[in-house]
Amino acid sequence: MDDYPLLNVFWTMLWFFLWIMWLFLLFKVITDIFRDHDLSGWGKAGWLIFCILLPYLGVLVYVIARGKSMGERDVKQAKASEAAFQDYIRKTAGTAPGGGATDELARLADLKEKGAITPEEFEKAKAKVLA
């Protein structure tokens, strides 16, 4: 270890970290190329070849030329994923808009007031809804 000074270890770690960051950016660019529906097949092929043949320059040019729309596609995908997740939660929990527990309790109270159900039936149904 004496022949490899601490400063050289620092520089090696820095370059390794930057290389890993560039790899993440390269994969992000490649996935964005295929995710873009506005880009034609030839455009996708051209960007992909450019990023593979001249990787550092290709990624840099792609981020400069299409970085803003890349971010917009990320936001659009995140919103779509969040909406799908919230919809899944509503369906699973049974609290879809217009069909929640409060609406069910109001309906039961209305039936009890009209005399359609007895107070004992109301209490049983209320316990079932709240359970």
Side-chain angles (χ1 to χ4, degrees):
M1 192 72 182
D2 292 333
D3 57 338
Y4 202 66
L6 185 62
L7 187 59
N8 286 354
V9 171
F10 171 75
W11 282 113
T12 302
M13 289 173 54
L14 179 71
W15 284 112
F16 182 72
F17 177 72
L18 289 174
W19 181 70
I20 294 295
M21 281 181 37
W22 176 82
L23 276 177
F24 273 100
L25 185 59
L26 175 67
F27 291 130
K28 180 78 172 157
V29 165
I30 290 174
T31 56
D32 187 66
I33 288 171
F34 287 108
R35 185 175 48 184
D36 188 9
H37 298 294
D38 296 332
L39 201 58
S40 69
W42 287 106
K44 290 178 184 184
W47 276 113
L48 192 61
I49 290 171
F50 187 39
C51 287
I52 290 174
L53 293 180
L54 299 170
Y56 294 106
L57 183 63
V59 168
L60 180 67
V61 170
Y62 186 86
V63 170
I64 291 171
R66 300 179 52 84
K68 185 175 181 180
S69 62
M70 187 175 170
E72 290 169 355
R73 280 185 292 280
D74 280 344
V75 169
K76 183 179 175 183
Q77 183 182 11
K79 285 181 181 178
S81 295
E82 179 67 21
F85 179 68
Q86 292 296 331
D87 187 47
Y88 170 75
I89 288 174
R90 279 189 208 97
K91 286 179 183 175
T92 304
T95 58
T102 56
D103 293 336
E104 185 68 21
L105 288 174
R107 187 182 64 81
L108 287 171
D110 189 41
L111 287 174
K112 183 179 127 184
E113 286 177 13
K114 290 180 182 176
I117 59 173
T118 65
E120 293 83 23
E121 291 172 330
F122 173 75
E123 290 301 322
K124 285 181 185 177
K126 182 172 102 173
K128 186 187 281 188
V129 168
L130 295 176

